[in-house]
Amino acid sequence: MVKSKILSPFQKFVNLQSSTGILLLATTIIALVWANSAFADSYQDFWQYELGIVTDGFELRKPLLLWVNDGLMAIFFFLIGLEIKREFLIGELNSTKKVMFPLFGAIGGIALPVILYIVLNQNPETLKGWGIPMATDIAFSLAILKVLGNRVPLSLKIFLTAFAIVDDLGAVLVIAVFYSGDLDMLMLGSALGLLAIVYFLSYKGLYFEFLTIIAGFVVWFLFLKAGLHPTLAGILMAFAVPVRQKISTFEFTDQLDSIVGNLKKSNILQKPVLSAEQLDLIDDLEDWSDKYRSPLQVLEHKLHNWVAYLVIPVFALANAGVALNSNGSMDLESALVINIIICLILGKSIGISTVIFVARKLKIIEVPADITNKQIIGVSFLAGIGFTMAIFIAGLAFNSSPEYIDSAKIGILIGSFLSAIIGFSILRFKTVKGTFDHTR
């Protein structure tokens, strides 16, 4: 029997995230080498170079680093918002039964790392970094599961993706509540008012991609000026994108049959161009296709490659360059480094696996039959790969204390690396190859 070459949407997502993980690793290494090479000054100067618009009554000027963290990352958060909405409406989180397993994993993976951080922290100035070990980097963790191939079941990859998305949602809420500045209520009210209009239009079935882009930029700017982190505009705008098509499959196929029939009957020119009749029919086909496609799915499809191959790698290149001193050391807050490492490795693994085991024992959740306890422990360690969101939150937490940022980044890099090694080893050596056939 010939195996199907067609990948499911989730398998395509896994493949894309795996490629992103490899690219993330490459850009991280480049950033570290660049920041510690003979051209180290150029690394700092490049990302601190200021760009923007300045007029008599208007100013929007930022270092290139902040354009990446506040601007490009808003696109990343927009995609995260689309994924969260899709998963809750039609995906792996769209029912109580489906959501309970990853939800309990996410609760353990958020709560224990935060508690551990607070308990282990001894410096009042670093206490505000408690949100750093919360979220899981989907790209890196799925890249490792991809390398393991059929040693792990597809249901384990779905579980990892689902609880990582819940983690991200928790991290977004934390950013909104705890890592935003003093709020300008007029600006915030204007942004929320514009969001309400966009939501109302979407509810009434009036969705326009161009309008969403323009409104998104305005909301982003208003959030920036209001003191709320502007990347949150990406999440909130994503929730305004409808998931449903305007017409059903049956209606679309009927129209498609009609257009194809008319094309066959149309006047065919003896030149390599279309007749006016054919052009009208092609325009009709495009109109019907736009109505048939899910707006959310279309935007996700368009953005995935941009985020995977541009936004996230550029973010890593801009933020992962931790400069060592000439003697190979640096002025580190060692307690902060160790705290983050412990929270990522032990906080995530113990928190996720313990909560899941207890919830299953109490029969609150149902774990898929093809997922073993050892695989739950292994993937719980992989959840300690916090990279993208962890570095992002570290920048917010220590924005006014830059001396702690490099220490936090070192802790994140080491903790994520060790979590990856431990998780990979458990899944690699505790699972028999070939046990799971994803093609069935």
Side-chain angles (χ1 to χ4, degrees):
M1 184 176 178
V2 179
K3 294 181 179 180
S4 174
K5 299 292 185 180
I6 300 175
L7 297 177
S8 71
F10 181 78
Q11 287 172 315
K12 291 179 181 179
F13 176 79
V14 170
N15 289 341
L16 180 62
Q17 295 298 328
S18 301
S19 301
T20 307
I22 295 170
L23 191 55
L24 262 177
L25 179 60
T27 49
T28 299
I29 293 172
I30 291 171
L32 288 169
V33 171
W34 186 5
N36 293 280
S37 68
F39 305 100
D41 289 342
S42 67
Y43 178 84
Q44 300 298 333
D45 292 342
F46 179 76
W47 295 113
Q48 292 303 319
Y49 184 80
E50 292 196 349
L51 291 173
I53 302 172
V54 179
T55 65
D56 291 339
F58 178 83
E59 181 175 348
L60 183 58
R61 185 181 177 89
K62 287 173 170 285
L64 194 55
L65 177 64
L66 290 184
W67 278 115
V68 172
N69 292 350
D70 293 351
L72 274 183
M73 287 299 284
I75 301 173
F76 166 77
F77 275 86
F78 182 74
L79 181 59
I80 290 291
L82 294 175
E83 291 172 351
I84 289 172
K85 182 173 182 177
R86 172 177 48 78
E87 290 297 329
F88 274 101
L89 291 180
I90 58 174
E92 295 303 320
L93 304 173
N94 73 331
S95 69
T96 303
K97 184 178 179 180
K98 285 183 178 181
V99 77
M100 294 304 283
F101 180 31
L103 176 62
F104 272 84
I107 290 172
I110 290 174
L112 188 57
V114 170
I115 292 170
L116 265 180
Y117 185 97
I118 294 172
V119 170
L120 296 175
N121 182 76
Q122 297 179 348
N123 182 354
E125 293 184 0
T126 58
L127 180 61
K128 55 190 173 184
W130 58 267
I132 293 172
M134 283 182 55
T136 297
D137 193 294
I138 299 178
F140 267 134
S141 51
L142 280 181
I144 292 174
L145 287 188
K146 177 68 176 177
V147 171
L148 289 164
N150 60 359
R151 291 179 185 275
V152 296
L154 185 61
S155 56
L156 192 69
K157 298 175 183 178
I158 293 174
F159 166 62
L160 174 61
T161 303
F163 84 65
I165 286 175
V166 177
D167 272 359
D168 284 343
L169 180 58
V172 167
L173 294 175
V174 166
I175 291 170
V177 176
F178 298 101
Y179 292 120
S180 294
D182 295 331
L183 297 181
D184 183 322
M185 299 310 296
L186 178 60
M187 290 291 185
L188 180 59
S190 301
L192 295 178
L194 180 55
L195 277 170
I197 293 172
V198 174
Y199 283 3
F200 178 77
L201 292 176
S202 177
Y203 174 75
K204 290 296 185 180
L206 299 173
Y207 167 78
F208 306 98
E209 188 173 311
F210 180 74
L211 176 63
T212 300
I213 295 171
I214 298 299
F217 177 79
V218 175
V219 172
W220 176 88
F221 177 77
L222 290 172
F223 272 20
L224 178 68
K225 295 300 182 182
L228 198 62
H229 201 272
T231 53
L232 297 174
I235 289 279
L236 295 176
M237 285 302 303
F239 294 158
V241 179
V243 68
R244 297 189 181 279
Q245 310 108 306
K246 293 182 178 179
I247 59 172
S248 67
T249 297
F250 297 110
E251 188 175 358
F252 178 70
T253 52
D254 285 345
Q255 292 297 330
L256 192 59
D257 288 340
S258 175
I259 291 172
V260 170
N262 289 330
L263 274 173
K264 290 179 179 178
K265 299 174 185 177
S266 65
N267 179 34
I268 301 176
L269 302 179
Q270 301 302 315
K271 299 176 183 179
V273 292
L274 300 180
S275 65
E277 183 183 3
Q278 289 173 322
L279 284 173
D280 288 339
L281 289 169
I282 293 299
D283 287 341
D284 287 343
L285 177 61
E286 290 177 351
D287 290 340
W288 285 108
S289 296
D290 287 340
K291 293 177 182 178
Y292 179 58
R293 290 183 295 216
S294 161
L296 185 145
Q297 188 178 33
V298 169
L299 271 179
E300 255 196 293
H301 179 73
K302 287 180 179 179
L303 288 176
H304 258 139
N305 285 339
W306 284 103
V307 170
Y309 299 124
L310 176 65
V311 175
I312 297 302
V314 169
F315 172 81
L317 188 63
N319 289 275
V322 181
L324 304 174
N325 294 330
S326 57
N327 59 1
S329 64
M330 60 186 305
D331 296 326
L332 290 177
E333 177 72 17
S334 57
L336 176 60
V337 175
I338 294 171
N339 193 352
I340 291 175
I341 292 173
I342 291 173
C343 291
L344 288 176
I345 298 175
L346 298 181
K348 280 288 187 181
S349 59
I350 296 174
I352 293 170
S353 55
T354 301
V355 170
I356 286 177
F357 292 153
V358 171
R360 182 170 63 177
K361 189 73 174 177
L362 297 174
K363 297 183 178 180
I364 300 174
I365 64 171
E366 182 179 336
V367 178
D370 57 353
I371 295 180
T372 67
N373 287 344
K374 289 177 181 177
Q375 288 169 341
I376 291 174
I377 294 171
V379 85
S380 297
F381 275 102
L382 291 186
I385 305 173
F387 196 80
T388 305
M389 194 69 82
I391 289 179
F392 185 79
I393 293 177
L396 299 180
F398 301 125
N399 183 45
S400 58
S401 308
E403 64 272 18
Y404 296 125
I405 292 180
D406 282 348
S407 298
K409 289 180 181 178
I410 289 293
I412 292 165
L413 292 173
I414 295 175
S416 296
F417 178 74
L418 292 177
S419 294
I421 295 297
I422 296 170
F424 176 83
S425 300
I426 292 173
L427 294 171
R428 169 67 175 79
F429 298 110
K430 296 295 183 181
T431 309
V432 178
K433 184 178 181 181
T435 302
F436 307 102
D437 183 359
H438 301 326
T439 62
R440 290 182 297 175

